[in-house]
């Protein structure tokens, strides 16, 4: 199966400008998601807010893409995936994560604050959310910061202890890279100097034959 | 580390009534999340909608919980976790998944439609989203539909082929259950009669010592 990346000749300057605008909206929608979980206002007020949310949705749908955002690139080498479930700047499901890649391209890290929307056990980050974030960081690092395509082959996660909601940090490194197969190790834990990893991950990422 | 489940003596009838109200709002917020990703309306209109979203958030925050929703239960045996990242009915990050448990308590399945907010590779479900959903279904099944506490110990995922956005199905079964350690197998794939699994998962779930 091939994947449809979209060649989009929007100039980088215009991409950056538009991204700031939609990212601003997505930030506000993230706050609305949090408030929807935590609100204790009365039923009538919840219903009144719901009607207004629906009206705003219709305004945004006045002109829209026919489907998901996809992954786009232009001839200047800029690529963007604003809809990505982890890093997408226009996607309010995404925290969003900003992955920091080291100069050698083999290590990376990310810091983010996870709030009420990412809960599993009471007060704790959902174990599947840790898997979701780790998969993205590991995939990006395996793909050398998106300079090649690397798909998840296998992913193994060891859960050492529960991870409280709040500031978390992910660390990642490529430990082997040969013949289109890339082995990656990563952790997620509390963002504290002396924190031990809550979850340890090991993954094998594969450059598809059609993309080598 | 212990977990703080909240004893909340709201009568079941009132819990059900309130859940329907907040679930309605969350459904509308999900549509707004989708529209935020896909909209192509001009910058001024995006900014105007953003201001209105912020105002609605303030209305919901007029009265709210101090933190995440947590997991609650009452003396009638009703438990609820409306903020859960996968199944929470008030959480617009959650699809939400509704896990169907078989009578024997050892098997379960779930069907859901995944839209633009769950994208990873272009047009495809994010590999980490598959992991997120699988972890929840497997954890719920290991916990015998929440009749005991079971935490993820290890989770291994094998990615067989990309999974297109759209209708998906998860299937899960407990294959071993002894001494507080539960082995669970699960798959996710397209919701078609002849579909082969896109991702196969194997997990070891553990009943914490303090909860045995």
């Amino acid at each position: 199966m091939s994947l449809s990346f979209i060649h989009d000749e929007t100039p980088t300057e215009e991409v950056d400008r538009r991204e700031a605008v939609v990212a601003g909206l997505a930030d506000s929608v993230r706050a609305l998601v949090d408030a929807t979980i935590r609100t204790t206002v009365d039923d009538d007020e919840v219903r009144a807010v719901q009607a207004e949310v629906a009206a705003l949705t219709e305004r945004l749908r006045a002109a829209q893409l026919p489907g998901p955002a996809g992954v786009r690139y232009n001839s200047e080498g800029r690529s963007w995936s604003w809809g990505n479930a982890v890093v997408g700047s226009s996607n309010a499901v995404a925290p969003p994560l900003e992955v920091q890649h080291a100069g050698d391209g083999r290590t990376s890290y990310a810091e983010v604050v996870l709030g009420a929307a990412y809960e599993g056990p009471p007060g704790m980050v959902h174990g599947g959310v840790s898997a979701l974030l780790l998969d993205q960081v590991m995939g990006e690092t395996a793909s050398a910061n998106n300079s090649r395509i690397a798909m998840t082959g296998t992913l193994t996660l060891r859960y050492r202890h529960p991870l409280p909601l709040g500031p978390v940090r992910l660390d990642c490194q490529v430990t082997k890279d040969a013949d289109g197969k890339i082995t990656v190790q990563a952790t997620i834990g509390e963002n504290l100097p002396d924190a031990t990893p809550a979850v340890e991950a090991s993954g094998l990422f594969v450059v598809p034959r059609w993309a080598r």
Side-chain angles (χ1 to χ4, degrees), chain A:
Chain A
M1 186 183 302
S2 188
L3 297 172
S4 300
F5 295 81
I6 299 166
H7 193 144
D8 178 336
E9 273 312 349
T10 309
T12 296
E13 193 178 329
E14 163 69 11
V15 173
D16 292 344
R17 196 197 48 69
R18 177 70 177 182
E19 181 168 27
V21 174
V22 296
L25 173 59
D27 278 344
S28 294
V29 175
R30 277 182 201 102
L32 180 66
V33 169
D34 180 89
T36 295
I37 293 168
R38 294 167 56 198
T39 192
T40 56
V41 301
D42 69 32
D43 294 356
D44 285 347
E45 178 70 346
V46 171
R47 288 193 196 96
V49 168
Q50 183 182 347
E52 303 239 17
V53 168
L56 295 176
T57 301
E58 285 313 300
R59 281 171 63 179
L60 294 175
R61 292 209 193 285
Q64 67 175 3
L65 301 173
V71 182
R72 292 162 190 266
Y73 65 98
N74 66 18
S75 297
E76 297 173 65
R78 173 76 152 89
S79 73
W80 63 104
S81 49
W82 296 343
N84 183 285
V86 180
V87 298
S89 50
S90 76
N91 186 347
V93 163
L97 211 63
E98 285 185 40
V99 183
Q100 310 295 326
H101 295 272
D104 66 0
R106 297 171 62 86
T107 59
S108 65
Y109 73 94
E111 298 177 321
V112 70
V113 177
L114 297 176
Y118 301 100
E119 190 177 35
M124 302 294 163
V125 176
H126 194 295
V129 169
S130 289
L132 169 63
L133 271 49
L134 285 162
D135 177 67
Q136 176 68 32
V137 172
M138 294 166 81
E140 268 194 40
T141 308
S143 72
N145 195 8
N146 298 320
S147 67
R148 61 181 175 190
I149 296 165
M151 307 279 288
T152 317
T154 63
L155 187 62
T156 301
L157 303 141
R158 288 176 192 79
Y159 290 80
R160 297 301 189 187
H161 56 77
L163 176 61
L165 290 169
V168 304
R169 180 183 164 109
L170 297 97
D171 285 280
C172 178
Q173 61 175 323
V174 170
T175 54
K176 198 172 168 187
D177 184 346
D179 304 324
K181 294 182 180 177
I182 306 122
T183 304
V184 186
Q185 311 285 336
T187 59
I188 184 171
E190 289 182 85
N191 197 353
L192 295 171
D194 58 346
T196 55
V199 188
E200 297 169 353
S202 176
L204 178 67
F205 290 78
V206 180
V207 181
R209 274 178 217 288
W210 56 263
R212 284 181 200 174

